[in-house]
Amino acid sequence: MAANFWKSSHCQQWLVEKQTLSQDRQEDMQVLNEEEYQKCMMFFANLIQAFGEQLKVRQQVIGTATLYLKRFYCKNSLKSVDPLLLAPTAIFLAAKVEEFGVISNSRLITACQNVVKNKFQYAYPQEFPYKIAHILECEFFLLELMDCSLVLYHPYRPLLHYVQDMGEQDRILPLSWKIINDGLRTDVHLLYPPYQVALAALHMACVMLNKDAKQWFAELSVDMEKIMEITRQILSLYELWKVYDEKKEIAAVLSKIPKPRTTPSPPSSVQTQQK
């Protein structure tokens, strides 16, 4: 594990430019518009959250799994591997990386079956179709794509430091933490360092709670324009939530994505690496 974020693979390999992200998604943009793509990513983050809660893993495991899925689809089309397969695969891998422990095969599949049946029938009317062999194969592709760069730095730790320095932990921390989790449904965790995401969440929480923190932020040596960029992306998510009914709309959006094979074949990025 890298001693600090700036020397880590997260920083040096997996912070992407917005333009690069748009270019990498061109294949998906041929069948989805930008808003529909965002709705897909929001839905898959919700799916991972539900799997994680069913399995009773820590929020950091859920955050890591969500970023694994986002990294994968940075480099591959949504049609390369079914997100319904990649979501539990990401949870399975993240639980090991974050030292939560290995989730048993039977427990994982049972959790997936229950979550899909009880919470996501509006999107997946059929039963969860995958077996543990599919998840283990998919895990190999996920590891290959990320070049085994599995350690992630999350905004939670810097947030705790900033809130402690600012004071009023009981009031500010829960809302800031929630905003960071909401941010997993956007691209901010792919585009910006964790400390900037933490500061943006803290800034938003202060505004929402009418806490005057201008002086505290003024004393920081940070690029406030970056903080405001993150804020705008998360606010855009909140605006979409106001008018978006996932249960009514997501099935039609998902139907536009070409169906992958039930048994995944190596995605294009993995095939390129193998050559």
Side-chain angles (χ1 to χ4, degrees):
M1 181 173 177
N4 61 61
F5 170 74
W6 303 108
K7 295 180 180 178
S8 69
S9 61
H10 185 160
C11 176
Q12 297 181 4
Q13 295 174 233
W14 285 104
L15 282 184
V16 299
E17 297 289 334
K18 199 167 186 177
Q19 185 177 0
T20 303
L21 204 55
S22 297
Q23 291 172 348
D24 289 341
R25 291 173 175 170
Q26 281 305 303
E27 187 174 353
D28 289 324
M29 291 300 106
Q30 293 175 17
V31 293
L32 300 171
N33 60 39
E34 285 190 23
E35 185 175 294
E36 288 171 334
Y37 189 91
Q38 185 179 4
K39 288 176 180 178
C40 283
M41 288 295 114
M42 289 162 58
F43 174 73
F44 301 140
N46 292 340
L47 191 63
I48 288 176
Q49 185 77 36
F51 286 152
E53 289 174 357
Q54 181 76 17
L55 291 162
K56 295 181 170 57
V57 301
R58 298 190 309 269
Q59 180 60 39
Q60 185 152 326
V61 175
I62 293 170
T64 294
T66 305
L67 280 176
Y68 284 172
L69 180 138
K70 283 180 168 288
R71 284 184 176 186
F72 186 88
Y73 291 120
C74 276
K75 304 295 184 184
N76 293 287
S77 163
L78 289 168
K79 70 178 183 180
S80 61
V81 170
D82 187 354
L84 182 58
L85 171 59
L86 191 64
T89 303
I91 280 278
F92 185 63
L93 179 58
K96 291 182 280 188
V97 172
E98 295 294 348
E99 299 181 351
F100 176 82
V102 178
I103 300 169
S104 75
N105 297 350
S106 59
R107 186 164 165 249
L108 178 64
I109 297 299
T110 299
C112 293
Q113 291 170 340
N114 290 338
V115 166
V116 169
K117 180 179 179 180
N118 297 325
K119 294 185 178 181
F120 292 97
Q121 272 210 319
Y122 58 87
Y124 299 115
Q126 307 299 322
E127 289 186 359
F128 181 75
Y130 297 109
K131 307 297 183 187
I132 193 62
H134 296 119
I135 289 175
L136 294 175
E137 184 181 8
C138 189
E139 183 184 38
F140 170 77
F141 297 143
L142 187 56
L143 287 166
E144 186 93 11
L145 172 93
M146 294 193 296
D147 195 25
C148 295
S149 300
L150 303 178
V151 175
L152 299 183
Y153 287 76
H154 289 283
Y156 305 115
R157 184 176 291 180
L159 175 67
L160 292 172
H161 171 76
Y162 294 139
V163 170
Q164 187 175 17
D165 184 65
M166 180 183 284
E168 299 190 48
Q169 283 178 267
D170 292 342
R171 185 165 173 245
I172 300 291
L173 182 60
L175 182 55
S176 303
W177 193 281
K178 180 182 182 303
I179 292 169
I180 285 174
N181 291 340
D182 291 343
L184 289 168
R185 283 131 182 94
T186 73
D187 291 330
V188 297
H189 293 263
L190 292 173
L191 299 170
Y192 302 95
Y195 83 94
Q196 290 183 346
V197 178
L199 285 172
L202 183 57
H203 185 266
M204 292 177 69
C206 288
V207 172
M208 292 176 184
L209 296 171
N210 295 315
K211 175 177 172 56
D212 185 357
K214 290 180 182 177
Q215 186 60 38
W216 188 86
F217 278 97
E219 293 172 1
L220 295 176
S221 299
V222 296
D223 185 346
M224 284 305 294
E225 181 52 40
K226 295 291 186 185
I227 304 305
M228 297 314 296
E229 286 176 13
I230 297 167
T231 299
R232 285 190 286 271
Q233 288 195 45
I234 296 175
L235 287 175
S236 177
L237 169 74
Y238 292 158
E239 288 300 313
L240 180 57
W241 268 344
K242 289 179 183 178
V243 297
Y244 171 46
D245 187 335
E246 183 176 272
K247 289 186 177 181
K248 290 182 179 178
E249 298 179 39
I250 194 62
V253 176
L254 294 176
S255 69
K256 292 185 175 184
I257 304 170
K259 295 293 183 286
R261 298 175 183 176
T262 302
T263 302
S265 57
S268 56
S269 60
V270 174
Q271 290 176 333
T272 302
Q273 290 175 16
Q274 290 175 342
K275 290 177 183 177

